[in-house]
Amino acid sequence: PMATITFAGGALFTDFTFEDWYFTFVDRAVSAGLFTGRGNEFDPCNNITRAEFAAALANLAGVDASAYSGTSCFSDVSATDWYSGAINWVASMGYMNGMGDGTFGASNSITREQICVALANYAGLSSSGNSAAFNDDSEIAPWAKSAVYACRDLGIVTGMGGNTFAPKSNAQRAQACTMVLKAYDLGL
């Protein structure tokens, strides 16, 4: 069997091709240093973890996360974890919170509404009230609603088809990559 190797953003990946809907987003996000792969794979259809998203947000901000490495206030984040600096930074800035039980949930998948909240906190976004409601608006947590619609107002999110948002769904790496790149393109 032959392997397909895709050159994207200066890296070689074996798990997608230029024909996939997310190719351009991954290519540009990797080139801009916003995302990295997992070795020779990007894992575009796998869920992104909260730690990986914290790292992407630090990359978007241009922060040297290693300056924040070390002891964490979260019981599930060790000073030696590759993501400790990014998590310490997002928490210290108030962009992402822990799980309410003393943990950050570093290895947990991040939901689509949690990404919107993190991006809105980071960029100081609030909804203009101009966006029409998603058909599944009642499923969006009250604490995330303004952030979701602020991201929709700017085109960072568009939904999942059928005018739904799927707020509680775990975000795939390709989806998160697309959202972060759109924020980057907006200069956030």
Side-chain angles (χ1 to χ4, degrees):
M2 292 179 51
T4 300
I5 298 175
T6 304
F7 185 72
L12 298 175
F13 297 110
T14 60
D15 58 349
F16 66 94
T17 72
F18 70 93
E19 295 173 338
D20 291 304
W21 71 265
Y22 46 78
F23 171 79
T24 301
F25 297 104
V26 172
D27 181 40
R28 291 189 54 233
V30 171
S31 291
L34 301 173
F35 273 78
T36 60
R38 295 172 174 169
N40 284 338
E41 295 183 345
F42 190 78
D43 288 337
C45 298
N46 288 338
N47 295 340
I48 185 169
T49 66
R50 289 173 49 82
E52 289 171 329
F53 190 78
L57 198 57
N59 292 340
L60 176 64
V63 169
D64 177 9
S66 67
Y68 293 84
S69 293
T71 304
S72 175
C73 63
F74 300 108
S75 63
D76 63 336
V77 179
S78 166
T80 59
D81 291 330
W82 69 265
Y83 47 74
S84 71
I87 288 174
N88 289 339
W89 175 74
V90 296
S92 71
M93 301 302 290
Y95 302 148
M96 292 176 74
N97 297 317
M99 305 306 291
D101 62 358
T103 67
F104 185 78
S107 61
N108 296 355
S109 297
I110 190 169
T111 65
R112 292 171 49 78
E113 69 184 2
Q114 288 172 343
I115 286 178
C116 288
V117 169
L119 287 171
N121 288 343
Y122 162 73
L125 305 177
S126 59
S127 175
S128 67
N130 294 331
S131 290
F134 285 111
N135 288 343
D136 56 354
D137 178 79
S138 64
E139 295 175 29
I140 302 170
W143 51 264
K145 211 167 269 213
S146 177
V148 168
Y149 287 108
C151 287
R152 187 180 199 186
D153 289 346
L154 292 174
I156 294 171
V157 297
T158 57
M160 297 292 289
N163 193 40
T164 61
F165 180 65
K168 307 287 190 252
S169 293
N170 294 327
Q172 295 176 342
R173 286 175 49 84
Q175 293 169 337
C177 181
T178 301
M179 292 181 218
V180 170
L181 184 64
K182 287 181 177 182
Y184 174 80
D185 287 344
L186 290 167
L188 302 180

